[in-house]
């Protein structure tokens, strides 16, 4: 057990600091909550089978039901501000109302502290809507448009997390080898 602890510490040191993750602050930001809800609504609005071929028509309703299962999402950096490497990814920890935890969901973004401090936040949901966003206030150092990319990515990642978990609720079942073989079978000649 001691060897595992030592290896973990060495790996953290090689990556530029490991256990110093930032925690979201406790300052509510209703403007940020509104912007985030708009980003989520826009993400669900893009779940139209006309614009996203392959999606089932009920996909937007399923996404809303999924959001109703979420209690809280924490956006944080994998390693914290002490790590300036590209492996310091912005990740989400999702807690469902059932108590289930889904940890380390990759956002698609890196935490580039040298460029701009990432938006570390705690987002609380109620009945599928953003109820409250808590931060340390860093977002107020720039205009609201500066946060738009992170908010859009948050909405995308959290809404689509359910696609990976329960794909059959969003897409038709995959074709069987027999279905594919039938597609490639030429039609019978006309009589």
């Amino acid at each position: 057990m001691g060897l595992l602890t030592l290896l973990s510490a060495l790996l953290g040191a090689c990556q530029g600091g490991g256990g110093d993750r930032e925690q979201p602050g406790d300052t509510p930001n209703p403007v940020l909550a509104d912007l985030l809800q708009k980003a989520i609504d826009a993400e669900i609005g893009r779940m139209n089978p006309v614009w996203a071929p392959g999606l089932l028509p009920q996909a937007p309703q399923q996404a809303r039901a999924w959001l109703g299962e979420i209690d809280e999402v924490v956006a944080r950096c994998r390693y914290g501000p002490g790590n300036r490497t590209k492996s310091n990814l912005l990740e989400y920890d999702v807690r469902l109302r059932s108590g289930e935890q889904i940890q380390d969901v990759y956002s698609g973004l890196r935490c580039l502290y040298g460029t701009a401090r990432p938006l570390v936040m705690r987002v609380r949901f109620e009945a599928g809507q953003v109820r409250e966003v808590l931060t340390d206030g860093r977002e107020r150092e720039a205009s609201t448009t500066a946060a738009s990319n992170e908010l859009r990515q948050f909405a995308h990642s959290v809404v689509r997390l359910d696609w990976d978990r329960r794909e059959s609720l969003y897409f038709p079942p995959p074709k069987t080898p027999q279905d594919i073989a039938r597609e490639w079978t030429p039609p019978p000649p006309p009589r």
Side-chain angles (χ1 to χ4, degrees):
M1 197 56 108
L3 181 61
L4 188 57
T5 305
L6 177 63
L7 287 173
S8 261
L10 285 172
L11 182 60
C14 290
Q15 293 172 333
D20 298 331
R21 288 185 179 171
E22 281 185 285
Q23 294 301 312
D26 56 3
T27 305
N29 187 330
V31 172
L32 189 60
D34 184 53
L35 291 171
L36 189 52
Q37 184 61 54
K38 287 177 181 171
I40 289 170
D41 291 342
E43 181 65 30
I44 292 173
R46 286 188 285 278
M47 294 174 70
N48 182 327
V50 173
W51 300 329
L55 275 177
L56 292 171
Q58 64 269 26
Q61 291 82 13
Q62 180 54 43
R64 291 262 178 229
W66 161 244
L67 292 172
E69 295 179 35
I70 297 175
D71 184 41
E72 175 179 278
V73 179
V74 174
R76 48 127 187 106
C77 294
R78 179 180 285 178
Y79 302 118
N83 184 306
R84 304 295 173 142
T85 67
K86 63 183 176 181
S87 63
N88 194 11
L89 307 174
L90 183 65
E91 296 177 327
Y92 307 121
D93 293 334
V94 180
R95 185 178 71 220
L96 302 181
R97 296 206 181 286
S98 66
E100 180 183 355
Q101 302 270 344
I102 306 166
Q103 306 242 311
D104 308 328
V105 177
Y106 176 47
S107 69
L109 301 172
R110 294 186 299 192
C111 294
L112 302 172
Y113 283 92
T115 306
R117 291 192 312 167
L119 189 52
V120 175
M121 60 184 169
R122 181 178 312 277
V123 180
R124 293 186 174 140
F125 285 81
E126 187 174 285
Q129 302 287 312
V130 175
R131 177 177 49 104
E132 181 179 53
V133 178
L134 302 171
T135 71
D136 64 0
R138 72 180 62 179
E139 71 281 0
R140 296 173 189 202
E141 297 169 4
S143 74
T144 56
T145 56
S148 63
N149 187 43
E150 285 181 79
L151 298 179
R152 195 170 34 256
Q153 194 60 42
F154 178 96
H156 178 83
S157 297
V158 170
V159 167
R160 295 186 185 210
L161 173 61
D162 199 37
W163 290 20
D164 296 334
R165 293 168 41 89
R166 303 181 293 188
E167 185 178 349
S168 64
L169 298 175
Y170 296 90
F171 298 96
K175 293 182 179 182
T176 65
Q178 294 80 12
D179 294 334
I180 294 170
R182 274 192 294 277
E183 288 178 3
W184 289 103
T185 304
R191 290 186 183 205

